């Protein structure tokens, strides 16, 4: 759930692009082999082979990306709409719903859509550059959503979010959004350092996306579009 009550400032109406990205990701996932719901891909070993081929086709494989093969430059874009499993999908879509709606209303639909796609593309590209020899397939909207989080932090510095923390028995606690997001960035940075020799979870893409999103909002809007009143939203415990 999300309450978008906020201070003064113009908005663009319903967050159409946020909903469009969410629906697109969900449909692609359900129809693809990762969901296990489409009988076209079979079961057991056949399904696993279909999933592997699907991820390699539409995901980012750093070593293949830099080889300049046909269609490879598009994979950082197509990978944004592909997810590895139900938890991966639902966690990403939850964060996109909570933080994307308010960010889109502040930016406007067209600008938000371009921002989301460009940030996600560059985040995955940055990860691929750092792991140029890796054959690990990378999929998911995490880089783009991290960009949304970065922009949200600049645009809504006084927002408050209700978070559920597993290590506190899932008690709902309210914190300023900047506290939650800075804590999230710190976790990503620590995880990225630990994962340097074992690429897989794209913590580096998260950091690149977040930084790009924050810098874009700062450069594009300055202080003029920041919400002065306390906006309120809610989020779950999952991270993109």
């Amino acid at each position: 759930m999300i309450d978008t009550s906020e201070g003064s400032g113009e908005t663009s109406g319903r967050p159409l692009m946020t909903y469009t990205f969410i629906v697109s990701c969900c449909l692609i996932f359900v129809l693809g082999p990762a969901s296990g719901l489409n009988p076209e891909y079979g079961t057991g070993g056949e399904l696993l082979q279909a999933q592997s081929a699907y991820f390699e086709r539409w995901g980012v494989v750093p070593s293949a990306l830099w080889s300049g093969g046909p269609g490879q430059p598009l994979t950082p874009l197509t990978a944004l709409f592909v997810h590895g499993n139900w938890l991966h999908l639902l966690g990403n879509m939850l964060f996109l719903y909570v933080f994307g709606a308010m960010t889109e209303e502040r930016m406007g639909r067209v600008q938000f859509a371009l921002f989301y796609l460009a940030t996600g593309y560059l985040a995955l590209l940055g990860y691929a550059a750092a792991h140029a020899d890796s054959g690990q397939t990378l999929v998911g909207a995490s880089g783009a959503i991290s960009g949304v989080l970065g922009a949200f932090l600049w645009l809504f510095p006084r927002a408050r979010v209700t978070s559920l923390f597993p290590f506190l028995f899932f008690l709902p606690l309210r914190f300023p959004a900047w506290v939650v997001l800075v804590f999230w960035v710190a976790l990503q940075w620590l995880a990225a350092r630990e994962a340097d020799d074992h690429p897989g979870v794209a913590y580096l893409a998260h950091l690149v996306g977040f930084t790009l999103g924050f810098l874009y909002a700062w450069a594009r809007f300055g202080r003029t579009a920041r919400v002065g009143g306390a906006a309120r939203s809610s989020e779950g415990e999952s991270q993109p």
Side-chain angles (χ1 to χ4, degrees):
M1 297 176 62
I2 179 169
D3 179 356
T4 57
S5 301
E6 58 184 62
S8 61
E10 296 181 359
T11 63
S12 62
R14 291 187 177 276
L16 179 62
M17 295 312 305
T18 297
Y19 296 156
T20 298
F21 287 134
I22 291 174
V23 170
S24 297
C25 288
C26 290
L27 284 177
I28 289 172
F29 179 79
V30 169
L31 295 176
S35 68
L37 299 178
N38 191 337
E40 177 183 346
Y41 294 102
T43 58
E46 184 181 5
L47 177 60
L48 292 178
Q49 290 182 357
Q51 290 174 348
S52 179
Y54 184 81
F55 294 146
E56 288 183 5
R57 178 179 180 183
W58 301 111
V60 177
V61 180
S63 58
L65 177 64
W66 301 115
S67 69
Q72 286 300 318
L74 290 178
T75 57
L77 186 62
T78 59
L80 297 178
F81 297 90
V82 178
H83 290 82
N85 54 52
W86 284 98
L87 184 61
H88 188 203
L89 172 74
L90 296 177
N92 274 348
M93 295 306 100
L94 174 62
F95 264 65
L96 179 55
Y97 173 74
V98 170
F99 293 99
M102 293 174 66
T103 305
E104 179 184 345
E105 289 178 0
R106 187 60 52 194
M107 288 186 175
R109 291 171 181 168
V110 174
Q111 184 175 175
F112 176 80
L114 294 175
F115 161 80
Y116 179 91
L117 296 174
T119 303
Y121 187 99
L122 292 174
L124 295 182
L125 198 65
Y127 178 90
H131 300 285
D133 297 328
S134 173
Q136 178 76 37
T137 304
L138 181 64
V139 297
S142 301
I145 296 170
S146 298
V148 172
L149 300 185
F152 184 95
L153 179 59
W154 176 261
L155 294 173
F156 301 93
R158 297 181 59 186
R160 298 185 67 85
V161 297
T162 300
S163 300
L164 303 179
F165 291 92
F167 53 84
L168 293 178
F169 304 102
F170 296 99
L171 293 176
L173 301 176
R174 288 184 64 76
F175 294 96
W178 71 266
V179 172
V180 175
L181 294 178
V182 169
F183 178 70
W184 176 83
V185 169
L187 289 178
Q188 303 304 304
W189 181 74
L190 291 174
R193 293 187 62 186
E194 294 295 326
D196 279 346
D197 296 328
H198 304 282
V201 179
Y203 297 112
L204 179 59
H206 300 173
L207 290 174
V208 172
F210 187 92
T211 302
L212 290 174
F214 185 86
L215 292 177
Y216 174 81
W218 169 75
R220 172 65 178 81
F221 297 102
R223 300 185 61 86
T224 59
R226 305 182 89 186
V227 173
R232 299 188 298 275
S233 61
S234 303
E235 68 178 63
E237 74 280 9
S238 301
Q239 297 181 3

